Amino acid sequence: MREMGDASLGFRGAATAGVIVAAGAGGRFGAATPKQFLELSGRPLVWWAASVLARHPAIRRLVLVLPEGRGVPWSGWPPVSRVVAGGSTRAESVAAGLEVVEEEFVLVHDGVRPWVPQEVVDEVLRATWAFGAAAPVRPVVDALKRVGSEGWIEGEVAREGLHGAQTPQGARTAWLRAALETSRRASTDPPDEAAALRQAGYAVRAVPGSPGNLKVTESGDLEMAARWLAGPELRVGCGFDVHRFDPVRPLVLGGVRLADSGGLAGHSDADVAIHAVLDAILGAAGLGDLGEHFPPDEARWAGVASTELARDVRARIGQLGLEIVHVDLTLVGERPRIARWRKPMQEAIAAALDLEAQRVNVKATSPEGLGALGRAEGLACHAVALLRRVAVP
């Protein structure tokens, strides 16, 4: 595979164009109007898709590829540089768009993906500039079945290592032109730009996609897009946990081992901070509580690190189309003093939940000698988690 550069180039301002591919007939959608022209809040889907690239500061030229004879109402449209007629296949349509591209790099985006997050565009750009070609992908989470023509399940397909590709997909313009010409001469029909590039011998870098990068393919997808446009669904959950001290166990708080003894009693590592946080996250997601998912009477959870439980919970809410916005927790007890541990705990919790550290806040308060906590018999934690929906499952 041919490669270029390395990731150290970072986010530089290389000359980049955007091509919006919207020349298909939309047969799977089942509507008389091609799906890219169906309206969402008064504007066609392709308008929303074009707007994503049009507002990115790195995109210098925006080319719109539409069916032959189809124009756009220029009033109120994103700043499209050119409109060109597409072909009968995706590859032909992309090649038509590339004919008017002069920039060194190009991003190709589906005209029916209205909600690609800006950070996905950023990641594709960085990787494209650094390596020459890139595509956003998401791991396949569903069990895969092979279904026969008569509707019976005939076998399974291992999903390990399998990812679903999204757009925009980026490449050196010269690379993509050469790859599409190779496909044309070989009479092949690559499903996307990454496939064409790989078949022509170019290496393509994978970057993380997003569950919110919805592709409108079937009629129900348009309803999902409308729900997303109505605004993000926010959810709040509260969590609480308490453990008594155990002098012979290690003390683990917020994913950090503070001491080899004087810890907390519990079935797992008794990390009262992470337990409260996970209860808050599960509550916001409507998934019950920690004990339902990790029963304290099951041997497999004995002594397990709560950071591992956190990764499991993070995956569960991701499958529901939810993501964590912010977590705030308060430890309640006479000991330990956490001032020196606050930042390491914040970073450990954030890493376990796949968050930026600034999205986790850790603080503590003393019960002022009141009750069992005031007598230093144990340690408690209150937590609040804010989630938002990024995709409709």
Side-chain angles (χ1 to χ4, degrees):
M1 289 288 184
R2 286 166 277 185
E3 301 180 0
M4 64 163 286
D6 59 54
S8 65
L9 291 176
F11 196 76
R12 60 184 175 85
T16 306
V19 173
I20 307 295
V21 185
R28 282 181 292 176
F29 197 86
T33 301
K35 60 187 177 183
Q36 63 269 35
F37 300 112
L38 293 176
E39 288 196 354
L40 185 63
S41 189
R43 299 185 185 277
L45 276 174
V46 64
W47 183 94
W48 295 100
S51 296
V52 174
L53 295 191
R55 65 175 178 262
H56 198 287
I59 303 299
R60 302 187 185 180
R61 180 193 309 267
L62 190 61
V63 179
L64 192 58
V65 184
L66 298 180
E68 181 74 43
R70 172 76 73 158
V72 298
W74 290 102
S75 176
W77 268 77
V80 176
S81 304
R82 291 285 299 272
V83 178
V84 301
S88 59
T89 67
R90 179 188 180 92
E92 290 177 359
S93 295
V94 174
L98 293 182
E99 288 181 4
V100 296
V101 169
E102 300 174 359
E103 288 72 16
E104 182 181 2
F105 296 91
V106 63
L107 296 191
V108 180
H109 187 48
D110 290 330
V112 289
R113 286 189 186 270
W115 306 136
V116 55
Q118 201 76 25
E119 54 265 28
V120 172
V121 180
D122 290 347
E123 289 300 319
V124 173
L125 280 167
R126 289 189 183 97
T128 300
W129 293 337
F131 299 102
V137 299
R138 292 281 297 170
V140 174
V141 296
D142 295 325
L144 298 177
K145 307 292 182 181
R146 184 178 293 106
V147 179
S149 58
E150 296 184 0
W152 296 99
I153 293 177
E154 296 180 346
E156 285 68 41
V157 178
R159 65 187 176 192
E160 285 73 22
L162 295 183
H163 289 67
Q166 300 180 340
T167 68
Q169 298 183 7
R172 273 190 172 277
T173 305
W175 285 15
L176 187 53
R177 284 198 182 107
L180 293 174
E181 177 61 18
T182 298
S183 296
R184 187 189 68 80
R185 291 179 177 178
S187 299
T188 60
D189 185 19
D192 61 6
E193 294 67 59
L197 287 160
R198 290 195 68 258
Q199 290 166 10
Y202 296 98
V204 181
R205 183 76 169 183
V207 301
S210 169
N213 191 5
L214 171 71
K215 182 179 181 181
V216 177
T217 303
E218 300 174 344
S219 57
D221 298 335
L222 192 62
E223 181 182 349
M224 295 183 189
R227 289 173 60 182
W228 176 255
L229 182 63
E233 177 187 345
L234 299 178
R235 297 183 173 203
V236 176
C238 299
F240 175 78
D241 195 32
V242 60
H243 289 269
R244 67 173 60 248
F245 282 113
D246 183 339
V248 301
R249 297 198 70 190
L251 178 58
V252 180
L253 279 181
V256 177
R257 187 161 176 158
L258 276 63
D260 292 332
S261 61
L264 297 168
H267 187 60
S268 63
D269 62 1
D271 189 332
V272 68
I274 290 186
H275 290 186
V277 166
L278 298 185
D279 253 351
I281 293 170
L282 290 169
L287 292 177
D289 60 29
L290 199 63
E292 293 180 39
H293 299 277
F294 312 104
D297 57 353
E298 289 190 8
R300 58 178 170 154
W301 307 121
V304 68
S306 293
T307 50
E308 292 300 315
L309 306 184
R311 294 183 182 95
D312 186 286
V313 169
R314 175 67 182 82
R316 290 172 191 252
I317 68 165
Q319 291 172 3
L320 295 179
L322 298 168
E323 73 173 7
I324 304 165
V325 177
H326 190 77
V327 169
D328 180 50
L329 63 99
T330 304
L331 289 160
V332 184
E334 295 294 344
R335 62 181 177 91
R337 302 299 181 186
I338 70 161
R340 60 177 292 209
W341 302 106
R342 181 178 285 111
K343 185 175 181 181
M345 290 167 61
Q346 176 189 24
E347 293 173 346
I349 295 171
L353 295 174
D354 194 22
L355 297 175
E356 300 92 344
Q358 62 265 30
R359 294 196 181 194
V360 176
N361 188 59
V362 178
K363 56 190 186 295
T365 188
S366 166
E368 302 295 338
L370 298 175
L373 295 176
R375 294 191 297 271
E377 295 177 11
L379 187 62
C381 187
H382 296 267
V384 178
L386 176 64
L387 309 186
R388 69 182 170 197
R389 185 172 295 284
V390 293
V392 179

